[in-house]
Structure formats: C-alpha cells, structure tokens
Amino acid sequence: MAFDWFKRKTQNITTSTEDKKDVPKGLWHQTPTGKIIEHEELKANNYVSPEDGFHVRIGSKEFFSILFDENKFTELDAGVESVDMLHFKDTKSYTDRLKEVKAKTKLTDSIRNAVGTVNGEKMVISCMDFSFIGGSLGSVMGEKIRRAVDYCIENRLPYMIICQSGGARMQEATYSLMQLAKVQSKLAQLSEAGLLYIAYLCDPTFGGITASFAMTADIIMAEPGALIGFAGPRVIRETIGKDLPEGFQTSEFLQEKGFVDFIVKRTEIKDKVSKTVNLLVHS
C-alpha cells in the first residue's frame, strides 16, 4: 500500500512580494580574515572591525558623521556635476556611465565638500567617494577642491582632504590631468595664507592623487593597512626589473620611509584632527 506523505492540495502556489520573508542585506559584514561582524556593531565602532582592526571602506556620508560634531555640517558646492565634455566612449558612453553611477550612488561626483566643527574646531573637509567611478580625479573634483580652498582662505579656516581614489579619470583625458596643477596651485595659495592643510589617506590612494596633493599636505595621516602608491606592483616590478619588498605600498611602509607622518585608526581620527588643528592653528 502506498502512502501519500505529502500531497499538494493547491496548484501553482505563489507568495506575494510583501509577504516574502527575505533577510535584509547588510546586517553582517565579513572581514578579509573571516571575522563576522554585525553591521550595527561595526557602525558604532566607526566601521572598524573590533575583532581584527580591519577598516571597512566607507564614503563621505560615513566620514562626515564620524568627524563633524553631532553630524551637523553645511555641504558646499553640491550642485557641481560631471559632464561628458569630450563625448568619450569605451564599452559605453561616458554620458551613460555618469547617469548610471549618479543613480546608483545618489552622488554628483567623486568628492564632497563640507564645513562644520570637529570637536569644536571649525574647518572645511573634502571627502572622496570611491563608489563614484573609483573616486577618480576629474574636472569636477579639481573644481570642488579649488572652491573649498577659496572658502578656507576667505574664512580663515583649516582644510582637510580625505583621499580614496584609483587615480585620474580616463574618460576626461587631459582635462583630468590638468587638475593636478590646478589643485597644487590652489594649495600653494592656502599655504601662502598661512592656513593648515591635512591629508588623510585611505585604502586605496593611487595614481595622480598620490603623485600630487595627497603627498603635499602639512600633515599626512593614513589609515592602518591602507594601500598607497602610484602604479601597481606588477608595473613597477617590470619597470625596474627587481622584486619589491613585502608590503611596500602599505601606509606602515610609507611611514617608515618618511612619506606618512601618522598612522591613525578611524576610531581615533576625530581627536587626532582636532588636536592637530588646535596645536598648529591656535598655538
């Protein structure tokens, strides 16, 4: 005798979308060492894994909330956006690429400017967003930094750039490379005005960013274990024909060689920045 242990009484059963019990994304984060961290615990620790100290990559929204007192700040130059001045096309047009990344990230370009107080010290901070075409340097980034510097000079405020970028944006070709000279000239004016410039190098800081304003600050700080360099290891190895020392592009190696002043954990960056400003501006 056969028994029907399971018999479908209703055919083509479907569950409405609102009734589905999907687990929301982002509740947990796994670090490269395999540690599993709850998102809220990670957020409370400035997105640094309490298990192994790994610094999870974050954007301007998170950095501003970490640095500015009570997450209160005024965004500057928010309406400046990238455009396709060269009508560039690779696998897709630059215009379409910009539309897609703007819709996905809700950002207008790879850097944001804001003014507020950091432990009571008023200053301007420009923060790159790696999620916007790899934090690449284009005409808008250069223009926004120029405007931020002008604001600092006009209001006698210290300036900070949080760097996380793959380098120049190829879709803007020479326009992108011109920003290196443009930004450096503005930072020279900032220096001539006697105002402080701090750079905080995060993972990754590469290409033209490293070759220019990331390494010309009065004080250069970096996150632990951040990848910092100009060209990739393979390119350098093939160029010089030698094996490279282990970890030669990490923030720790660069501090040892004198390129970085301080390795600063993200959990300590707010206090370190405010103390630096207090010491160098008010002394």
Side-chain angles (χ1 to χ4, degrees):
M1 181 182 293
F3 294 93
D4 293 330
W5 293 104
F6 175 81
K7 185 175 181 180
R8 186 185 296 274
K9 294 182 179 180
T10 305
Q11 297 297 318
N12 302 320
I13 297 176
T14 59
T15 304
S16 62
T17 301
E18 58 270 21
D19 292 332
K20 291 182 179 179
K21 305 299 182 182
D22 290 336
V23 177
K25 295 181 180 180
L27 292 180
W28 306 90
H29 182 86
Q30 184 173 8
T31 70
T33 60
K35 304 293 183 181
I36 305 296
I37 311 298
E38 187 179 17
H39 178 75
E40 289 304 313
E41 181 182 5
L42 195 66
K43 181 179 178 181
N45 201 45
N46 291 354
Y47 300 92
V48 177
S49 168
E51 297 288 337
D52 54 15
F54 177 73
H55 285 53
V56 175
R57 185 178 296 156
I58 58 176
S60 57
K61 178 183 177 181
E62 292 80 14
F63 266 117
F64 288 165
S65 69
I66 290 169
L67 286 164
F68 288 122
D69 298 337
E70 299 177 356
N71 195 22
K72 293 180 180 179
F73 59 89
T74 300
E75 185 169 357
L76 307 173
D77 314 306
V80 184
E81 299 189 29
S82 294
V83 295
D84 184 7
M85 72 283 284
L86 298 176
H87 305 293
F88 189 94
K89 185 175 182 180
D90 45 86
T91 55
K92 65 177 67 174
S93 73
Y94 185 35
T95 298
D96 290 340
R97 198 178 293 279
L98 286 172
K99 287 180 181 178
E100 290 177 8
V101 73
K102 286 177 182 178
K104 182 179 180 180
T105 63
K106 309 303 179 186
L107 299 168
T108 57
D109 200 72
S110 53
I111 196 167
R112 291 172 70 204
N113 296 338
V115 58
T117 59
V118 179
N119 284 336
E121 300 288 350
K122 190 173 182 180
M123 62 187 300
V124 175
I125 300 176
S126 294
C127 182
M128 299 178 192
D129 279 281
F130 193 80
S131 60
F132 195 101
I133 315 183
S136 50
L137 169 65
S139 55
V140 168
M141 181 183 287
E143 177 62 16
K144 279 196 170 187
I145 293 176
R146 180 197 70 79
R147 296 188 185 195
V149 171
D150 283 343
Y151 187 95
C152 288
I153 294 173
E154 182 180 349
N155 295 278
R156 304 298 301 170
L157 295 174
Y159 184 45
M160 177 180 182
I161 299 181
I162 300 172
C163 301
Q164 44 184 347
S165 172
R169 188 175 301 175
M170 70 172 189
Q171 291 89 348
E172 294 189 17
T174 304
Y175 284 99
S176 173
L177 297 179
M178 287 168 59
Q179 306 311 309
L180 302 176
K182 179 177 180 177
V183 170
Q184 283 303 126
S185 64
K186 294 306 298 184
L187 291 173
Q189 292 178 14
L190 188 75
S191 178
E192 290 168 2
L195 298 171
L196 177 66
Y197 165 42
I198 299 171
Y200 188 43
L201 314 186
C202 303
D203 183 73
T205 297
F206 250 76
I209 304 293
T210 306
S212 58
F213 55 87
M215 289 295 186
T216 58
D218 298 305
I219 299 294
I220 302 175
M221 304 180 187
E223 285 186 341
L227 190 64
I228 303 167
F230 178 66
R234 180 183 58 81
V235 174
I236 296 175
R237 188 181 299 109
E238 291 178 355
T239 301
I240 67 175
K242 295 181 180 179
D243 290 331
L244 303 166
E246 185 176 353
F248 82 107
Q249 289 183 321
T250 62
S251 51
E252 288 79 8
F253 184 88
L254 293 179
Q255 183 189 37
E256 180 184 330
K257 301 301 180 182
F259 287 95
V260 170
D261 297 308
F262 303 107
I263 304 295
V264 185
K265 296 177 182 177
R266 199 181 293 154
T267 50
E268 303 169 356
I269 187 60
K270 184 173 183 176
D271 287 339
K272 181 69 75 173
V273 167
S274 62
K275 287 178 181 178
T276 301
V277 171
N278 184 273
L279 179 65
L280 298 181
V281 173
H282 303 308
S283 297

